[in-house]
Amino acid sequence: MRGVLVIITVHLPSRIYRVLRHWAGFLTHTVTFLVAVAFLFLSQQAAVAASAPIHSASEVDYPPFCIVEPDGRVTGFSNELLRAALAAMDREVTFRTGTWPEVRTWLARGEVQALPLVGRTPEREDIFDFTFAYMSLHGAIVVRDTTMGITDLRDLHGKIVGVMQGDNAEEFLRREDRGIAIQTTPTFEIALHNLASGQYDAVVIQRLVAIRLIQEMGLSNLRVIDKPVSGFRQDFCFAVQEGDRETLALLNEGLSLVMADGTYRQLHAKWFATLQLPGNRPIIVGGDHNFPPFEFLDEQGHPTGFNVELTRVIAREMNLDIKIRLGPWADIRQALAHGEIDVIQGMFYSEARDKTFDFTPAHSVNHQVSVVREGDAPAPGTIDDLADKQIVVQRGDIMHDFVLEHNLSDQVTAVETQEEALSRLAKGEFDCALGSRLTALYWIDKKGWENLIVGRESFVSREYAFAVNNDNRALLSIFSDGLHVLKNSGEFRDLIEKWYGIYEPPDRSITQILRTMAFIIVPLLLIAGLAFLWVWSLRKQVARRTEELWKSEESLRVAARNFNGIIYILDIELRFTLSKGQRLDVLGLQEDDVVGKTIYEFYDTDNPDHPMIKHHLRALEGEEITLESTHGDTTFSTIISPMKTADGAIIGVTGLALDI
């Protein structure tokens, strides 16, 4: 028996081995093929999913957030913000349209992936997941003009109040029995129409939505009560179906990008700043009637010049209805201060003027110089050179302010225009004139005043910008954004070359040219040669560092500088390492005042329980905090978040404070 077993163990496996080897080879190739097919299929599905558009839905009538135009186009602030956020992530979005109850149901059922505008409320936390809030607003009460005695929520007891079905306003009113008879409608447009016709006593609604609808519907007998509804705050977010973490992460990242690169600010200005602009007339833009090449009246009496064309292009880009009014500069400046015009298209910046007016970023820089007669003393270049000089300036001009600030009023005569100042100087009435270099060159060429010499040294070089009264931030934001858009195009450069490029300095003699070459160009060439040798030796290091800095520090600085709020970073000891943004001035601070200091230095160090200190300590423990604070006339919506490394370690805190 043992011998038989030996035969079996020796001979049987060889035959089995040949069979198994045959089938093993077949199975190996088959499994490999199936795995490859499956991998290819899954890869294709993942690629399709990663590039497929996100399906969303828009309310048909919730302006200015969600709007459906008569031709079917989906627009409005929230819809455009969702498009921009997804575009930043290389994704597209498609929209269905319907009433709020419909679009809310579509998301709850998974028929769409995201909604652009959902107020975060306790009732909705179990149905949806939300991105961080991109805007926080308070509700308002709308009544008829003739209604008296309704100023806040308590006054609605026993009243018939209209709201949109399923809106935050309805949810808010139903949380507590206040004795209000609540009437729901499919849209706020219907609710406001019913209020105007006397069917309701009031409507509870978001303030900006009310303003927009009342304007569009022409409901002149309605007014919005200025006092916010106590306790009715709305944090507007993008929303996804509960548990859809992938879409939520996509939207949060895209939203962060558009808030940092200035897109959010531009959309905010486009949709909300216009609500504070004149609704029944054009925007009046003022300027000097005789300040070439910047702005002046041509032979037919029409406004022209660099400022005029710049204003018209910005109006075109920002879809503004404007009217340009040019007049004597002193009168125009006074008209802005009195509110008779809305904006001045060219004003030189100074600290004194900044107390009365707000300025956009500069659209140009202008050099202020002196002009003298040929053969007289050299043209003054400093305040000391003006001693004992009889000076003529344009009334209200930046150089008029300049000489008055330096106590030279006894030596100064102010006239209406710079043309008149130069004309009287050419006739020998004064020792020198002060004003814009380009304007002086224009008039000397046009009038043939060959006896006038323009000084080479600038007294001051001032930024030249649009200006509005301090309380008109909406208009300032629109012209700032329009200027930003234009500067990124070639059209701005074309305007510069058209109006500034033709005024070159007078021809110099051969002797002057040789002197320039001997005393300036040759030394510069020597310095440039030495610099070239040094740069060449460090070329690779500089190129690498430049690329690194551009990707990190420079890109962050540019994005933060244009942010309509404040961006800051604190290290693990709550010490500021970054603080930037356009609204630091609201707090009376500059970046240098903040960086390097701890947060404890800005709050009561004897009170470790100060709310702001506690919020940041909670963020160091991994919690994200959203809060709202008011400083003077400015309200900030702030998100305080832990800053983590790739492996999840907390290394500091980031803050994003948006001016709302």
Side-chain angles (χ1 to χ4, degrees):
M1 187 67 174
R2 183 175 298 173
V4 174
L5 288 174
V6 170
I7 294 173
I8 291 174
T9 56
V10 173
H11 296 285
L12 186 57
S14 63
R15 292 192 298 271
I16 294 174
Y17 173 75
R18 287 193 297 270
V19 174
L20 290 177
R21 185 176 63 180
H22 171 76
W23 282 104
F26 174 77
L27 290 173
T28 299
H29 289 298
T30 302
V31 170
T32 302
F33 173 75
L34 292 175
V35 169
V37 170
F39 178 78
L40 179 62
F41 175 78
L42 292 175
S43 299
Q44 290 176 337
Q45 291 299 309
V48 169
S51 61
I54 296 296
H55 299 296
S56 182
S58 170
E59 297 173 60
V60 292
D61 193 13
Y62 202 80
F65 299 95
C66 297
I67 301 171
V68 179
E69 301 288 359
D71 60 4
R73 287 185 302 110
V74 175
T75 184
F77 172 74
S78 295
N79 291 332
E80 290 195 6
L81 183 63
L82 179 61
R83 280 197 186 99
L86 287 171
M89 303 299 293
D90 296 322
R91 300 290 290 273
E92 295 182 351
V93 60
T94 62
F95 287 96
R96 296 174 66 179
T97 59
T99 62
W100 166 243
E102 290 174 326
V103 300
R104 174 180 175 172
T105 301
W106 294 338
L107 181 61
R109 292 176 178 174
E111 297 177 25
V112 297
Q113 296 168 272
L115 292 181
L117 178 70
V118 182
R120 189 168 189 164
T121 65
E123 292 86 352
R124 297 171 182 174
E125 292 285 353
D126 295 333
I127 306 173
F128 307 129
D129 283 335
F130 298 88
T131 64
F132 65 85
Y134 57 78
M135 181 176 290
S136 297
L137 298 176
H138 292 276
I141 300 173
V142 183
V143 296
R144 288 184 296 277
D145 277 339
T146 56
T147 299
M148 305 299 292
I150 296 180
T151 59
D152 58 30
L153 204 60
R154 292 171 297 181
D155 298 327
L156 297 180
H157 181 82
K159 307 294 185 184
I160 301 175
V161 178
V163 292
M164 186 174 74
Q165 182 182 1
D167 185 70
N168 287 6
E170 182 188 4
E171 293 177 357
F172 169 74
L173 292 179
R174 294 191 186 280
R175 285 180 200 147
E176 181 180 338
D177 184 7
R178 298 180 175 87
I180 300 173
I182 301 172
Q183 298 292 320
T184 62
T185 58
T187 67
F188 271 124
E189 184 176 16
I190 297 174
L192 292 172
H193 183 272
N194 291 347
L195 173 63
S197 63
Q199 299 180 46
Y200 303 154
D201 298 306
V203 167
V204 176
I205 186 176
Q206 294 70 35
R207 182 176 182 275
L208 290 177
V209 178
I211 293 173
R212 181 65 174 263
L213 285 175
I214 289 172
Q215 288 178 354
E216 290 184 350
M217 298 170 65
L219 301 176
S220 58
N221 67 329
L222 299 185
R223 62 184 174 90
V224 180
I225 295 175
D226 290 335
K227 184 179 180 180
V229 176
S230 177
F232 182 19
R233 165 180 163 164
Q234 290 188 287
D235 293 326
F236 286 144
C237 314
F238 298 150
V240 301
Q241 195 176 31
E242 187 184 23
D244 187 358
R245 303 301 182 189
E246 183 177 347
T247 305
L248 186 68
L250 180 76
L251 295 177
N252 267 322
E253 186 174 353
L255 187 56
S256 298
L257 291 174
V258 298
M259 294 187 82
D261 67 11
T263 301
Y264 177 92
R265 181 169 55 86
Q266 295 173 20
L267 290 175
H268 190 278
K270 173 182 177 181
W271 288 102
F272 298 112
T274 53
L275 295 178
Q276 302 174 30
L277 300 182
N280 55 353
R281 63 170 177 81
I283 297 169
I284 307 300
V285 182
D288 195 331
H289 70 303
N290 194 4
F291 195 55
F294 305 101
E295 51 194 12
F296 57 100
L297 297 173
D298 62 18
E299 295 178 355
Q300 289 75 39
H302 300 145
T304 188
F306 172 82
N307 294 350
V308 173
E309 290 198 19
L310 179 65
T311 298
R312 287 172 175 160
V313 174
I314 289 176
R316 182 197 69 203
E317 292 293 331
M318 304 304 289
N319 194 29
L320 302 176
D321 181 16
I322 65 167
K323 181 178 180 180
I324 297 177
R325 179 186 300 169
L326 303 186
W329 171 248
D331 295 345
I332 290 295
R333 180 174 168 178
Q334 187 177 36
L336 177 63
H338 292 169
E340 298 168 11
I341 61 175
D342 301 303
V343 57
I344 286 180
Q345 59 190 2
M347 180 183 283
F348 294 113
Y349 175 85
S350 72
E351 292 183 2
R353 290 177 174 181
D354 194 33
K355 296 176 181 178
T356 307
F357 308 111
D358 276 338
F359 295 81
T360 67
H363 52 68
S364 55
V365 175
N366 205 320
H367 304 290
Q368 306 297 318
V369 298
S370 64
V371 183
V372 296
R373 286 184 301 278
E374 188 174 17
D376 289 353
T382 67
I383 194 68
D384 292 336
D385 295 339
L386 295 176
D388 302 324
K389 294 284 193 300
Q390 290 300 308
I391 307 164
V392 60
V393 296
Q394 182 181 16
R395 183 178 296 106
D397 181 63
I398 192 70
M399 292 309 292
H400 191 192
D401 297 346
F402 177 80
V403 293
L404 294 180
E405 289 169 4
H406 288 83
N407 301 316
L408 300 178
S409 56
D410 293 341
Q411 302 170 225
V412 174
T413 298
V415 296
E416 184 175 298
T417 67
Q418 191 166 330
E419 177 190 7
E420 181 182 350
L422 294 171
S423 175
R424 295 180 65 174
L425 173 67
K427 295 175 181 177
E429 297 182 27
F430 300 96
D431 297 318
C432 71
L434 301 178
S436 163
R437 177 180 179 275
L438 285 181
T439 304
L441 291 173
Y442 175 93
W443 285 121
I444 290 172
D445 177 65
K446 187 174 183 64
K447 297 294 186 179
W449 290 322
E450 297 180 357
N451 65 328
L452 296 186
I453 303 296
V454 178
R456 295 180 182 177
E457 296 184 33
S458 299
F459 278 90
V460 290
S461 295
R462 295 291 190 183
E463 292 185 337
Y464 200 39
F466 290 92
V468 300
N469 284 320
N470 277 335
D471 59 351
N472 200 343
R473 292 182 179 177
L475 197 58
L476 183 74
S477 177
I478 285 185
F479 276 89
S480 295
D481 288 339
L483 188 59
H484 175 76
V485 171
L486 189 61
K487 282 187 174 181
N488 289 333
S489 70
E491 197 167 1
F492 182 77
R493 173 53 53 188
D494 292 341
L495 289 178
I496 291 287
E497 293 179 357
K498 174 181 177 180
W499 289 102
Y500 296 171
I502 61 174
Y503 301 106
E504 299 294 339
D507 293 336
R508 296 178 178 176
S509 66
I510 296 298
T511 302
Q512 290 174 316
I513 294 174
L514 292 175
R515 186 180 296 119
T516 300
M517 292 177 62
F519 290 98
I520 299 178
I521 298 178
V522 172
L524 286 177
L525 288 175
L526 292 174
I527 294 172
L530 294 174
F532 173 78
L533 294 176
W534 178 72
V535 171
W536 179 81
S537 67
L538 300 175
R539 181 174 52 194
K540 293 183 180 179
Q541 295 91 325
V542 171
R544 184 175 64 254
R545 286 295 299 152
T546 299
E547 182 179 1
E548 292 172 356
L549 288 172
W550 177 256
K551 290 180 178 178
S552 58
E553 181 181 350
E554 184 65 13
S555 59
L556 176 62
R557 182 181 62 83
V558 172
R561 183 185 62 200
N562 287 284
F563 180 65
N564 187 32
I566 302 171
I567 295 176
Y568 62 89
I569 297 176
L570 300 93
D571 61 18
I572 201 70
E573 297 177 357
L574 294 183
R575 187 179 305 278
F576 287 92
T577 61
L578 173 75
S579 180
K580 290 184 178 292
Q582 293 187 350
R583 307 313 295 151
L584 274 172
D585 61 321
V586 171
L587 306 179
L589 297 173
Q590 297 181 355
E591 181 185 1
D592 293 339
D593 300 327
V594 179
V595 173
K597 297 181 180 179
T598 68
I599 194 170
Y600 302 101
E601 296 177 64
F602 292 92
Y603 297 97
D604 187 0
T605 55
D606 296 329
N607 181 15
D609 292 328
H610 190 285
M612 290 302 293
I613 295 177
K614 293 177 67 176
H615 291 327
H616 288 81
L617 289 173
R618 286 164 56 195
L620 280 179
E621 297 174 358
E623 184 177 353
E624 180 174 284
I625 298 97
T626 300
L627 56 94
E628 185 173 310
S629 59
T630 300
H631 302 271
D633 295 333
T634 303
T635 299
F636 290 99
S637 178
T638 303
I639 301 172
I640 305 172
S641 306
M643 184 168 62
K644 301 180 180 180
T645 62
D647 58 2
I650 296 177
I651 60 173
V653 175
T654 62
L656 183 72
L658 177 65
D659 179 355
I660 60 172

